[in-house]
Amino acid sequence: RVRLLQDLTGEAIESLEKRSRWRRYARDEQILDRDSESRDVFLVVTGSVEVINYSLSGREVAFGHVVQGGYFGELSAIDGGRRSANIVAVEDSLVLVVPPEVFTEILTHNPPATMQVLRRLAHIIRTADDRIMDLSTLKAVQRVYVELIRLSEEDEKTGERIVRPLPTQRDIARRASTSRETVARVLDGPIVLMLYLGMVATAGPFFLLNFALRHLSVGRTALFSSLVGPLSVPMAVLFLGETIQGLEIAAIATVMLG
């Protein structure tokens, strides 16, 4: 079930298990501390974990998740340095803790596993490059939009990009290295705009009718009254992006032309 071990023989996996140890972690339990001196590699058999760090001001920054079948901790096992991030269990998780010398042995005698680790390290470097570029060139609001795009997936039926499930504002803020308040402004902005445009599209014609009632004769006001419905349709197209069907166009023309 762990990708790193998919090319190992049954005998090699059995030997690995005997030389390693099993650990269970509850949700929100910290697995590794950034300053830890351990060099073990952790194979996620069930559950998932999150890679996070903290700024000097205490702000939490999320780097990503490691889900079932993945692994983490390989950097310290390779270079002997300290941990580069904190690891916290996102849900109840079962991991196999592999000593660094056993991990090195796997890479030495199993070229496919070595290539898989190299590809993972290349992915980490590319992701880090993108993050550095984002932090250097984008404002907080722009980073939020970028993270939403990264989280989105193309819907097979509509072709639209959808974020499913939508993360909490706190999670998006951690990924974009910003505050939850900034994320709230970004997410609420389109909603407020649509409510405003909807009000314009539906209330605009009634403002015209009110003007007619106050300034025109009864006969001419009746004309404005009949135009309230037809005017609502083109204004909905203009402000809300709605589409007009052929029958609707004919109905509008009939009302306006008598």
Side-chain angles (χ1 to χ4, degrees):
R1 285 187 286 184
V2 178
R3 292 187 297 274
L4 183 66
L5 310 180
Q6 62 187 8
D7 294 304
L8 269 65
T9 64
E11 183 180 350
I13 293 177
E14 183 178 352
S15 173
L16 167 67
E17 186 174 354
K18 289 180 180 179
R19 300 165 65 186
S20 306
R21 63 185 188 278
W22 292 98
R23 288 291 307 273
R24 290 187 179 275
Y25 294 93
R27 178 180 178 179
D28 295 329
E29 183 177 355
Q30 182 162 332
I31 300 175
L32 279 179
D33 182 85
R34 181 178 181 180
D35 295 324
S36 171
E37 295 184 356
S38 71
R39 303 292 179 265
D40 297 328
V41 177
F42 295 73
L43 312 183
V44 183
V45 179
T46 61
S48 61
V49 304
E50 187 172 34
V51 185
I52 60 176
N53 259 337
Y54 298 93
S55 67
L56 293 177
S57 62
R59 175 179 295 172
E60 194 175 71
V61 180
F63 291 143
H65 289 77
V66 180
V67 299
Q68 177 177 314
Y71 55 93
F72 59 91
E74 69 277 14
L75 291 181
S76 293
I78 293 173
D79 66 5
R82 292 178 176 270
R83 299 296 184 181
S84 59
N86 303 283
I87 306 293
V88 177
V90 176
E91 55 186 317
D92 294 346
S93 302
L94 174 65
V95 302
L96 182 64
V97 185
V98 181
E101 61 274 10
V102 177
F103 176 73
T104 302
E105 184 178 311
I106 293 174
L107 300 187
T108 302
H109 297 92
N110 195 293
T114 303
M115 287 303 303
Q116 186 175 131
V117 171
L118 289 176
R119 284 192 292 269
R120 172 172 162 78
L121 294 178
H123 173 72
I124 291 175
I125 293 172
R126 290 182 183 277
T127 302
D129 286 345
D130 291 340
R131 302 277 183 180
I132 292 172
M133 181 62 69
D134 291 348
L135 290 171
S136 302
T137 60
L138 301 179
K139 296 181 179 180
V141 171
Q142 295 171 318
R143 294 200 302 272
V144 173
Y145 284 123
V146 168
E147 283 304 322
L148 289 175
I149 293 174
R150 285 177 178 151
L151 292 171
S152 67
E153 298 178 353
E154 184 174 343
D155 186 86
E156 296 180 357
K157 296 181 179 179
T158 64
E160 298 178 345
R161 299 199 67 83
I162 300 176
V163 179
R164 185 188 300 123
L166 183 65
T168 64
Q169 293 180 357
R170 174 175 174 268
D171 288 339
I172 298 175
R174 293 157 66 212
R175 293 178 63 91
S177 301
T178 187
S179 65
R180 190 190 63 79
E181 290 74 18
T182 299
V183 176
R185 288 198 300 272
V186 171
L187 296 181
D188 292 342
I191 296 175
V192 173
L193 178 60
M194 290 305 294
L195 289 175
Y196 169 74
L197 294 179
M199 179 189 69
V200 171
T202 55
F206 289 95
F207 283 118
L208 294 177
L209 178 60
N210 181 64
F211 173 84
L213 289 171
R214 295 176 58 186
H215 297 90
L216 301 178
S217 63
V218 175
R220 299 182 67 182
T221 299
L223 173 62
F224 273 82
S225 178
S226 64
L227 291 177
V228 168
L231 283 174
S232 298
V233 177
M235 292 193 75
V237 174
L238 178 63
F239 290 107
L240 301 181
E242 298 288 344
T243 57
I244 300 181
Q245 304 298 324
L247 288 176
E248 294 172 327
I249 296 176
I252 294 170
T254 300
V255 173
M256 296 185 71
L257 298 177

